[in-house]
Amino acid sequence: MSPDEFLRIASSLPEVELVQHSEEWVGLRVRGKGFGYLSEAKRSAQLKATLAEQAAMVGENPEVYGRSWTSGQFGWVEIRLALADPEELTEVVTEAWCLTAPRSLAADHERRLGLAPLAPGLVDD
C-alpha cells in the first residue's frame, strides 16, 4: 500500500482533517482530535488502538505492525505500509477513527454503512 492509498482510506471517513504535524509527519484528526499519523518518507503510519488491539496486531503480524507508544488506555501501532493488507488496514484505520470520533458521528457513519458498531465511541459529543 502506498502513502497516497493510505490517505485515501483515511480521508474517506467523515470529518477527517489532514494536518502537517512536522516536516515528516502528517496528522489525521477528527473534530480536532488525533487518531493517526503518516510519514511518506518512511512509508509508515501510526494509528491509535486499544492496548489489547495493539498487542494482538503486533503479536499476530510483527513484520507489518510494531508498537509505537502508549497513552492511558491506548497503544499506538506503527504500520509498514508496503507490507499491509489493504482490507485489514482499512479496518484498522476505521477502528482508530471510531476510537476518536464523537459517539454520535461514529454511530451515524456505521449506520450509513449498515455496520454493527466497530468500537464503542470513547469520546462524548
Side-chain angles (χ1 to χ4, degrees):
M1 170 171 290
S2 72
D4 286 340
E5 290 169 311
F6 174 82
L7 286 177
R8 272 194 296 278
I9 291 168
S11 295
S12 72
L13 295 163
E15 299 188 32
V16 169
E17 299 173 79
L18 304 178
V19 179
Q20 195 68 43
H21 186 67
S22 68
E23 278 189 38
E24 183 175 350
W25 294 95
V26 173
L28 307 173
R29 297 183 186 274
V30 57
R31 294 199 182 166
K33 297 186 186 273
F35 69 93
Y37 298 93
L38 169 70
S39 170
E40 289 189 48
K42 290 184 177 182
R43 298 185 62 82
S44 70
Q46 293 183 7
L47 290 169
K48 187 180 199 177
T50 65
L51 293 174
E53 289 167 343
Q54 179 196 50
M57 285 189 279
V58 173
E60 290 174 16
N61 201 345
E63 297 80 32
V64 176
Y65 302 108
R67 290 186 201 285
S68 184
W69 52 282
T70 60
S71 176
Q73 60 187 334
F74 300 110
W76 290 70
V77 178
E78 182 148 4
I79 302 154
R80 293 161 197 88
L81 294 175
L83 302 175
D85 175 75
E87 285 184 35
E88 183 176 61
L89 190 54
T90 298
E91 290 177 24
V92 174
V93 171
T94 303
E95 180 74 19
W97 179 87
C98 285
L99 289 171
T100 308
R103 287 181 190 143
S104 62
L105 183 61
D108 287 347
H109 176 67
E110 291 165 344
R111 260 193 307 279
R112 275 194 305 276
L113 296 177
L115 301 174
L118 294 173
L122 298 177
V123 180
D124 288 325
D125 292 309

